[in-house]
Amino acid sequence: MDAADEHLFREFVAARSPALMRLGYLLTGGDQHAAEDLVQTALAKLAGRWRRVATPEAYVRQIMYRQQVSWWRASVRRPEVVQASPPERAARDAHHQSELRLVLRSALSRLTARQRAVLVLRYFEDLPEQEVAKMLGCTVGTVRSTAHRSLARLREIAPELAQGMEEVAR
């Protein structure tokens, strides 16, 4: 990479790092360190192909999605955390939105990496099912069924999310 390309790459990293970190944070289920590793890995791969990539934003995001699925496949699944009694419900006050974010973060961390990836791509990135399937290397039917099961699992893990969304809609 010559000096001009390096300058362009550094500008891209400086401009897009916050958005990429948010995406990494969502894909890893709220694990800050894993999100940093994911972004760093994706940017390192992008740096090696900087001159040949026409759309660096799309390229680095696709690297992140695929890398997260690869890490998930390579790792041993974490067992679910079993509790003797359900956690207490949070009080409905001015901090309710923050509490909902924490509940969502916790619930997302209990999904598999593939389930998180499908939900993030479909509902956070607002991508069509065909594009999600292409990015994750699966069929559209797999994306649909995974999204359906993932949303059902979120409702099961954190029913307060459904209640919170009803209040936000009012």
Side-chain angles (χ1 to χ4, degrees):
M1 183 181 306
D2 63 10
D5 286 337
E6 184 176 342
H7 178 70
L8 290 173
F9 180 73
R10 286 179 187 270
E11 284 181 351
F12 172 79
V13 170
R16 299 307 305 151
S17 285
L20 294 173
M21 277 303 300
R22 284 190 300 273
L23 176 62
Y25 191 78
L26 290 170
L27 287 173
T28 60
D31 185 340
Q32 182 70 28
H33 298 293
E36 290 169 357
D37 289 344
L38 185 61
V39 172
Q40 184 177 6
T41 300
L43 289 174
K45 288 182 178 184
L46 173 64
R49 300 185 54 89
W50 181 253
R51 283 187 156 176
R52 294 172 283 200
V53 175
T55 55
E57 177 81 16
Y59 186 78
V60 77
R61 286 176 178 269
Q62 187 160 7
I63 291 171
M64 289 174 68
Y65 304 136
R66 289 184 176 175
Q67 186 66 47
Q68 181 61 23
V69 170
S70 294
W71 286 348
W72 167 72
R73 286 179 179 157
S75 68
V76 177
R77 288 189 178 178
R78 289 178 276 157
E80 286 189 20
V81 177
V82 179
Q83 298 177 349
S85 61
E88 293 181 19
R89 288 195 163 183
R92 308 276 185 204
D93 59 8
H95 301 290
H96 185 63
Q97 288 293 354
S98 297
E99 292 169 4
L100 279 178
R101 286 187 195 121
L102 292 173
V103 169
L104 179 60
R105 174 183 162 196
S106 174
L108 284 173
S109 71
R110 294 178 62 191
L111 297 177
T112 66
R114 184 178 195 101
Q115 289 173 324
R116 276 194 308 273
V118 167
L119 291 180
V120 167
L121 290 169
R122 282 289 291 133
Y123 303 109
F124 179 73
E125 294 287 324
D126 198 27
L127 295 177
E129 292 168 339
Q130 294 81 5
E131 196 168 333
V132 173
K134 181 179 163 189
M135 287 183 149
L136 296 179
C138 61
T139 65
V140 173
T142 300
V143 170
R144 286 180 184 155
S145 63
T146 302
H148 177 76
R149 282 192 301 268
S150 301
L151 290 172
R153 180 77 175 127
L154 278 178
R155 286 185 199 100
E156 176 185 313
I157 293 170
E160 59 268 34
L161 287 176
Q163 295 167 355
M165 292 311 293
E166 290 170 3
E167 290 175 8
V168 169
R170 287 184 210 165

